Amino acid sequence: QVQLVESGGGLVQAGGSLRLSCAASGSFFSIRVMAWYRQAPGKQRELVAAIASGGSITNADSVKGRFTISRDNAKNTMTLQMNSLKPEDTAIYYCNAEYERSRYSGYLEVWGQGTPVTVSS
């Protein structure tokens, strides 16, 4: 079982920066993909950015050039550096991971509890 714990959310003015962190713990063989999703009030959860164990990155168009995702495979941690924040970035941000309990066991998905980000205009 894997647990994900996010930290770093908060209130910031438009144009400001925040850094989110996610730490994975528990028993697992490997984590294939780690990702950040967000859900704004009244909207569906959407992908913000994802990073594979090999380093390949996917970013939502809405955050390209402003958000940077990174990962430390040795520590099983992931960060999201968010710059030039806009009011429309306001949402609950969730950490997500695809992992294997043991080699060739198949991939499972786990979510963190979410951390709120509020950007004031």
Side-chain angles (χ1 to χ4, degrees), residues 104-117:
Y104 306 127
S105 65
Y107 287 95
L108 303 174
E109 187 178 41
V110 62
W111 292 88
Q113 80 285 357
T115 185
V117 171

Side-chain angles (χ1 to χ4, degrees), residues 32-112:
R32 179 169 63 180
V33 178
M34 298 188 79
W36 289 99
Y37 286 75
R38 66 186 181 187
Q39 187 166 17
K43 295 187 176 181
Q44 289 189 329
R45 191 172 296 190
E46 63 175 2
L47 175 69
V48 176
I51 182 167
S53 56
S56 60
I57 290 172
T58 300
N59 287 310
D61 288 343
S62 59
V63 306
K64 285 180 179 177
R66 300 188 299 124
F67 292 10
T68 301
I69 190 171
S70 61
R71 174 175 174 175
D72 186 329
N73 290 330
K75 296 181 179 179
N76 296 312
T77 57
M78 173 180 64
T79 60
L80 184 69
Q81 178 65 44
M82 304 186 293
N83 299 326
S84 302
L85 283 160
K86 305 175 181 180
E88 50 263 44
D89 294 318
T90 295
I92 305 295
Y93 284 69
Y94 296 91
C95 178
N96 171 275
E98 294 177 6
Y99 70 99
E100 278 185 308
R101 287 179 178 172
S102 60
R103 192 174 179 87
Y104 306 127
S105 65
Y107 287 95
L108 303 174
E109 187 178 41
V110 62
W111 292 88

Side-chain angles (χ1 to χ4, degrees), residues 4-25:
L4 302 177
V5 177
E6 303 106 331
S7 61
L11 173 64
V12 65
Q13 289 187 331
S17 298
L18 281 175
R19 185 179 179 89
L20 304 183
S21 296
C22 175
S25 63

